Amino acid sequence: MRALAAVLGITGLVARAGALDLGLGERYRQLCAGHLQPKDWDEEDDGAWESPGPAEWSADPSCPQQLTEDSFRGTCALALEPRGWDTDEDGPYEPPFDLALPTCIFIFVPHIIDSGAEGRMEVLGTVLEAVGKDRDKPFVYLWAEAGAQPDLEQELNIGGLYPKLSLYSPRLSVSSTLQLAFTPKNIQAFLLKAALSRLPVKPAKVDVGKIASPPPWDFGGADEPSCAAEPSYDDIALDGDI
């Protein structure tokens, strides 16, 4: 977790101990995972935790969605024909003439083995902190685990260090990646430059057919490794054994 704090650009803090880090993770938990049991919940004092239902709680609209083919189609690729569109029966697809294509912000988070659930919430909470009240800008936010979208990472030249944040404009077919530390201040500045069309960009074309659809994150950490499937060598005698 100390390495994660360094990647996030936070000095003098350990991810699990720093108040700022925990605040970012808690912000994500409250806005995007309010159905989870609070970290400070004490069953002896507070009783058994009961997860709120859909009528009592729903994720905030600003919460980044996990990147899948469907989420990409529903946010970034609005100009494409809807899934199930049959040209023979429905005719050629023509998007609405007044369709405004949003700008896509991709967040590439570390693998869950490297960050754990709390570390991932801190990364996504960093984006929420940066977005703040600027939710009226035409940006949509999609996140992907490191290595889960290899074709997209290659197209955007993400590299092997995470977390990373990259902008993609489906209207202009260009992209730009945040090169500074992954902090709310730097992300805010990046998004402001994007809104003012002052970012350096390069050509990019995201193929929706190459967007993977991994299983949804259950807000948990990595599964514990199991040795159940490992072969046993107990019956093999070595030289010198008695």
Side-chain angles (χ1 to χ4, degrees):
M1 293 303 296
R2 188 180 298 273
L4 176 64
V7 172
L8 288 172
I10 302 170
T11 58
L13 293 173
V14 177
R16 292 192 185 278
L20 176 59
D21 279 355
L22 294 178
L24 295 175
E26 188 60 25
R27 179 178 178 83
Y28 177 83
R29 179 185 286 269
Q30 292 175 359
L31 292 177
C32 310
H35 63 290
L36 299 180
Q37 178 174 315
K39 295 175 60 177
D40 58 354
W41 187 271
D42 189 325
E43 291 193 356
E44 293 184 1
D45 296 335
D46 305 318
W49 167 257
E50 295 184 6
S51 179
E56 302 170 299
W57 176 88
S58 60
D60 191 271
S62 64
C63 295
Q65 298 182 49
Q66 185 173 357
L67 177 58
T68 63
E69 182 180 345
D70 283 342
S71 65
F72 182 76
R73 281 181 173 273
T75 56
C76 295
L78 299 179
L80 296 180
E81 68 275 5
R83 184 188 290 276
W85 185 273
D86 190 320
T87 304
D88 293 335
E89 295 184 3
D90 304 319
Y93 178 73
E94 295 184 4
F97 71 93
D98 58 346
L99 177 65
L101 292 178
T103 298
C104 309
I105 305 296
F106 295 118
I107 306 132
F108 297 91
V109 304
H111 195 281
I112 196 67
I113 293 178
D114 299 321
S115 68
E118 290 185 14
R120 177 169 294 181
M121 290 184 185
E122 289 161 13
V123 171
L124 296 175
T126 301
V127 177
L128 288 174
E129 181 71 14
V131 174
K133 299 178 180 179
D134 296 333
R135 301 179 185 179
D136 56 339
K137 291 186 173 62
F139 298 142
V140 295
Y141 299 86
L142 299 170
W143 68 267
E145 184 176 73
Q149 302 289 349
D151 292 295
L152 179 62
E153 290 193 28
Q154 182 177 3
E155 181 66 23
L156 302 180
N157 293 321
I158 294 303
L161 295 177
Y162 307 93
K164 277 287 184 68
L165 183 140
S166 187
L167 172 150
Y168 170 67
S169 171
R171 181 175 64 87
L172 302 175
S173 295
V174 296
S175 70
S176 183
T177 298
L178 175 66
Q179 301 297 332
L180 302 177
F182 197 91
T183 65
K185 182 178 179 179
N186 288 337
I187 295 174
Q188 282 179 337
F190 180 85
L191 296 178
L192 177 59
K193 290 181 179 179
L196 298 175
S197 300
R198 293 180 180 176
L199 282 179
V201 297
K202 65 179 186 63
K205 189 68 174 178
V206 176
D207 183 352
V208 66
K210 294 183 178 180
I211 297 293
S213 296
W217 180 39
D218 62 0
F219 300 97
D223 294 333
E224 294 293 331
S226 173
C227 299
E230 292 293 326
S232 173
Y233 301 100
D234 293 343
D235 59 342
I236 298 179
L238 302 177
D239 292 342
D241 286 352
I242 298 177

